[in-house]
Amino acid sequence: MTYLSGIHGSLPIAQVLYGQSSPSGHLPFTYPCYEYQARDTIWQSQSAEYAPQWPFGFGLGYSQMVYSNLTVDLAELHPSKPITVHMTMCNAGIFDQHEPIMLYTTQSFCTGYKLELFHLHKFDKVKIKAGTVTSISFTLAVKELGYFNHHLIRVLGPLPVNITINALTPYEHTVTVNLAV
């Protein structure tokens, strides 16, 4: 998908097709599997059927990326101390790759609301040379997990939170932390 590549778009497209560079673009939207899902692809609740053809953030490159060792430095997320999420990535292919890393959260319950299936909180795009390993870190604070109730007051429930890296992709990894509020 090249959108409107213009008069200078043919050279980069040819370079990708002939293997001179590895594609690194990822979808900025969700492409639904069925026509009736098209109206619901901006936001999906946990209770909705969600099986898109290609989810937000989907993309392919010529190098195989291996994600491992998803860890958090604290088992509980405290209001006064954020946690750091660590992950290791290895470029097991022969091409250098620009790879997006997206951190999502999922909470199991919010009073009066249907929760999102995955809520994107952080993202980064890193260049990883072929055959190398790199470490990625994100910091997540309690205030980022709050939501506004019916009275427009920011609240947070003391429930577990799933932290997922690259949700709905073959590279998805999840770890669970508890909220201490």
Side-chain angles (χ1 to χ4, degrees), residues 133-148:
V133 176
T134 189
S135 181
I136 309 298
S137 296
F138 291 108
T139 302
L140 190 63
V142 168
K143 67 180 180 178
E144 296 175 275
L145 299 176
Y147 62 94
F148 290 97

Side-chain angles (χ1 to χ4, degrees), residues 8 17-18 30 38 57 59 67 71-74 76 96 105 109 121-122 124-125 127 131 144 153 158 176:
H8 298 290
L17 291 175
Y18 285 98
T30 296
Y67 291 74
T71 59
V72 291
D73 61 349
L74 298 170
E76 284 194 338
D96 293 350
T105 61
F109 182 76
H121 279 285
K122 310 274 183 172
D124 196 4
K125 192 168 190 177
K127 183 173 184 177
E144 296 175 275
I153 298 171
T176 302

